Amino acid sequence: MSAWGLLAAVAAASAASGPAWDYTVDASAHARELTVVARFSRAVGSALTFDDGMGAFVEAFAMERGPHWLAIPGHGDQFIVPACERGPCRVRYRVRLLEAARTLDRRGVAHMNGEVVLAPPSSWLARPLRDAKPGRYRFHVTLPADVSFATGVFPTDDGGAYEAPTHDLEQAPYSAFGPLEPVRVRAPGGVVDVALASGEWSVPRQDVVDWVERSARAVAGYYGTFPVPRAQVIVLPGGRRPIGFGTTLGNGGASIIVWLGKGASRAHLERDWVLVHEMTHLGFPNVPRAQHWMEEGLATYVEPIARARAGLLAEGEVWRGLVQGLPNGQPRPGENGFDRTRRWGALYWGGAMYWFLADLQIRERTAGRRSVDDALRAIRAQGGTIAVSWPLARALETGDRATGTDVLTKLYARLGTEGSAPVDLDATWARLGVRPDAGGVRFDDGAPLAALRRAITDGREPAGDGRTE
Ligand SMILES: [Zn+2]
C-alpha cells in the first residue's frame, strides 16, 4: 500500500469509528434559539429533514463549500444539500425553538408546558431522509445559565454528549429545554435522571424524588435489575388529577414524562401506580403497532405485582384489581384476536389477560419453578428493552426458551391472531383461592393453586410446599 493509500485507510477507519451524524447544538437564553452545526461523515443523500412543521422555524440553513457557507432554501421541512450526496458534508442552521413550541403546540414535535419546551431531537436535528446504512448519531448541547436540558437519549460514556443508532433519531426519546432541576436517583442496576420543572409544587421536592426512587426500586425488584442503565424522567406540572398521566418513549434511550396536578400530596405519591406502570414499559422492546396491547397488558399486569413485592401494595389489592379489571379484557365474538381490535378494554385488560394466563400456565407446567418473571428477565437480559424495536416473535421465543415452554408463543396465537372464547375467570379464581367479596377479595388457602397465587405476589418459588410439585 502506498503512503497515500495508507493515509486514506486510516482516515476511513477513524470515520467508521466516529458517529455517522454528529451535531453540536448551542442554545440561547430561554432556549429561544438553537444554533446547530451538523457533520455527516459519509454520503447520506441530499435530502435532510425535520419533524413535521418544523421547517418553518429553521433559518440561515447553509452548507459548507471550501471556506464559504452556501445558503440552502427550504422546501417545507426539507433542505436539499447536493454536497451530502457525494461524501462527507457539513451544514449549519438556526431553529427558533421557543416560537415553534408556542405556535405548533404539538407534544411529539414542539410544545410548551409552562416555561418548559418539550421537543424531541428529531424536531431540531436535521436528519438524512435516505441514509439507511447502520451507524450512530451523536449530539452535544451547550446551554446558557438559565436553561437545563433533559433527554432520554443515552449519554456517551464520558457523559459529554448523547448517542444512539441513526435509525432511532426519527422517534427519539422525549427531551426538554427550560428551567428544570436535575436530580439523579439510583436504582439497583441503573440510574434515573429526574428533571423536575422549577416552580411551585404542592409537595416538597424530596417527596417527588422519593416517589421516583420507590417506583424504580419496585420495578427493579420485578425484573431483577432496573431495566435500562439510565432513564430520564421529566416531571411537569399539569393535569386535573393528582398524578395526571404518564407516557414512555424509548428508541435509543429511555424517557418518561409524568404530570403532577396541583392537588398532589405525599399520600397520592405513596399509593401511585402511574410511574410504576411507565417504568414497567422500560423492560420490554417496542413491538409493531398492532401488538401494542402486549406492551400495555404487560405494564397493567406487572405494575401491581411489582408494588406488592416491594411492600407498596397489599396482596388483596392485586387480586381485587385483577378480579375487577380482567372482565374488560374478555375476547369478544367476531373480534378475531386482539391484534385486530383497538378498544380500550382489549388494549389494557386483554393484554393483562394474556400475561396473567401466561404466568399461570408457565407456573403450572413447570411445577412452580418458572414464571413470567423468568421470561421477562431473559428478554431484558438479551437487550429487549424500550431502547430497541423487536418483532414480537423474537421476544416471545426468547421468553419461551427461558421457561422451557411454548406458552408465550401459543397463547399469543390464540389471543392475538386467532381469537378465543371468553376465559372462564370464575373457575380460575376458584382454583387460585380468590373469592370476590363485597368489593374486595378473601383468600382460600385450601384451593388447589393457593401456593401458586402466593408465589405471584411474593415473588418466591413455592418450593417445599409440595402442593404444585
Ligand atoms: Zn402504558
Side-chain angles (χ1 to χ4, degrees):
M1 191 184 286
S2 73
W4 286 114
L6 187 65
L7 212 59
V10 168
S14 81
S17 64
W21 311 348
D22 198 357
Y23 305 87
T24 59
V25 181
D26 252 295
S28 69
H30 308 294
R32 200 175 298 281
E33 266 188 6
L34 305 180
T35 302
V36 182
V37 178
R39 183 182 178 280
F40 302 103
S41 66
R42 64 188 188 203
V44 293
S46 61
L48 304 180
T49 193
F50 297 88
D51 276 352
D52 198 18
M54 284 300 297
F57 305 93
V58 173
E59 60 185 34
F61 197 105
M63 73 171 208
E64 188 180 36
R65 193 164 68 182
H68 305 292
W69 291 89
L70 189 69
I72 303 276
H75 304 274
D77 300 316
Q78 281 189 37
F79 293 79
I80 304 302
V81 186
C84 296
E85 185 86 61
R86 296 188 290 270
C89 65
R90 216 145 71 111
V91 303
R92 68 182 190 192
Y93 56 88
R94 284 195 301 272
V95 181
R96 299 193 306 277
L97 188 65
L98 201 63
E99 188 191 336
R102 286 188 175 139
T103 310
L104 295 176
D105 197 25
R106 276 161 49 205
R107 194 172 289 153
V109 181
H111 171 76
M112 290 302 292
N113 198 116
E115 298 295 301
V116 175
V117 180
L118 286 177
S122 49
S123 70
W124 35 273
L125 297 180
R127 67 179 183 277
L129 205 52
R130 278 183 279 278
D131 180 24
K133 279 180 299 217
R136 314 269 302 167
Y137 77 94
R138 180 190 293 173
F139 63 95
H140 172 88
V141 180
T142 307
L143 300 160
D146 69 332
V147 178
S148 290
F149 175 64
T151 182
V153 180
F154 286 137
T156 52
D157 288 341
D158 64 7
Y162 301 92
E163 192 181 301
T166 50
H167 64 252
D168 284 325
L169 176 53
E170 193 178 349
Q171 290 285 325
Y174 295 118
S175 305
F177 291 90
L180 293 160
E181 189 182 316
V183 187
R184 175 159 281 194
V185 171
R186 292 190 188 279
V191 296
V192 181
D193 282 328
V194 184
L196 185 61
S198 306
E200 285 294 304
W201 290 92
S202 58
V203 284
R205 259 127 228 274
Q206 190 57 43
D207 286 2
V208 176
V209 172
D210 290 347
W211 165 58
V212 174
E213 198 269 338
R214 205 161 47 229
S215 305
R217 195 161 30 81
V219 171
Y222 189 89
Y223 283 107
T225 176
F226 193 67
V228 290
R230 184 247 185 195
Q232 175 77 61
V233 173
I234 300 170
V235 185
L236 299 172
R240 258 177 292 173
R241 284 177 292 173
I243 293 145
F245 174 65
T247 174
T248 298
L249 188 59
N251 309 307
S255 62
I256 293 170
I257 305 180
V258 60
W259 282 268
L260 282 190
K262 282 198 173 64
S265 66
R266 177 181 296 177
H268 288 124
L269 295 174
E270 281 173 352
R271 56 172 189 263
D272 167 58
W273 60 270
V274 173
L275 191 52
V276 177
H277 173 106
E278 297 305 329
M279 286 181 173
T280 302
H281 280 308
L282 303 178
F284 198 74
N286 296 286
V287 296
R289 191 164 192 81
Q291 294 146 353
H292 275 191
W293 61 275
M294 292 285 286
E295 299 172 2
E296 290 308 336
L298 175 69
T300 303
Y301 177 63
V302 167
E303 164 265 307
I305 294 171
R307 286 200 293 146
R309 291 185 189 177
L312 302 173
L313 188 69
E315 187 188 355
E317 288 297 295
V318 175
W319 294 102
R320 188 174 69 98
L322 289 169
V323 166
Q324 292 181 348
L326 283 176
N328 296 302
Q330 286 286 16
R332 290 184 181 171
E335 202 163 58
N336 299 323
F338 293 141
D339 279 8
R340 280 184 271 266
T341 175
R342 290 287 170 274
R343 66 185 168 89
W344 172 89
L347 182 65
Y348 289 90
W349 287 104
M353 179 86 83
Y354 171 88
W355 292 103
F356 169 62
L357 295 179
D359 210 1
L360 298 189
Q361 288 181 17
I362 294 167
R363 288 171 188 271
E364 283 198 275
R365 286 216 211 153
T366 63
R369 283 187 294 273
R370 292 284 177 267
S371 66
V372 153
D373 307 21
D374 298 291
L376 292 171
R377 288 175 185 210
I379 292 165
R380 192 214 57 82
Q382 299 282 317
T385 71
I386 198 75
V388 301
S389 293
W390 279 12
L392 180 64
R394 180 174 171 192
L396 302 186
E397 284 158 16
T398 303
D400 277 341
R401 267 197 305 279
T403 64
T405 72
D406 57 4
V407 167
L408 296 182
T409 302
K410 283 266 172 63
L411 191 59
Y412 166 70
R414 191 179 129 209
L415 290 180
T417 62
E418 293 162 9
S420 153
V423 176
D424 188 349
L425 286 172
D426 289 339
T428 307
W429 303 137
R431 287 203 305 141
L432 288 165
V434 176
R435 289 198 187 148
D437 175 46
V441 294
R442 279 185 304 130
F443 294 127
D444 170 10
D445 283 336
L449 299 183
L452 188 159
R453 182 198 75 227
R454 285 193 299 270
I456 289 176
T457 49
D458 70 19
R460 287 189 294 270
E461 293 176 22
D465 160 305
R467 208 180 288 280
T468 59
E469 285 293 325

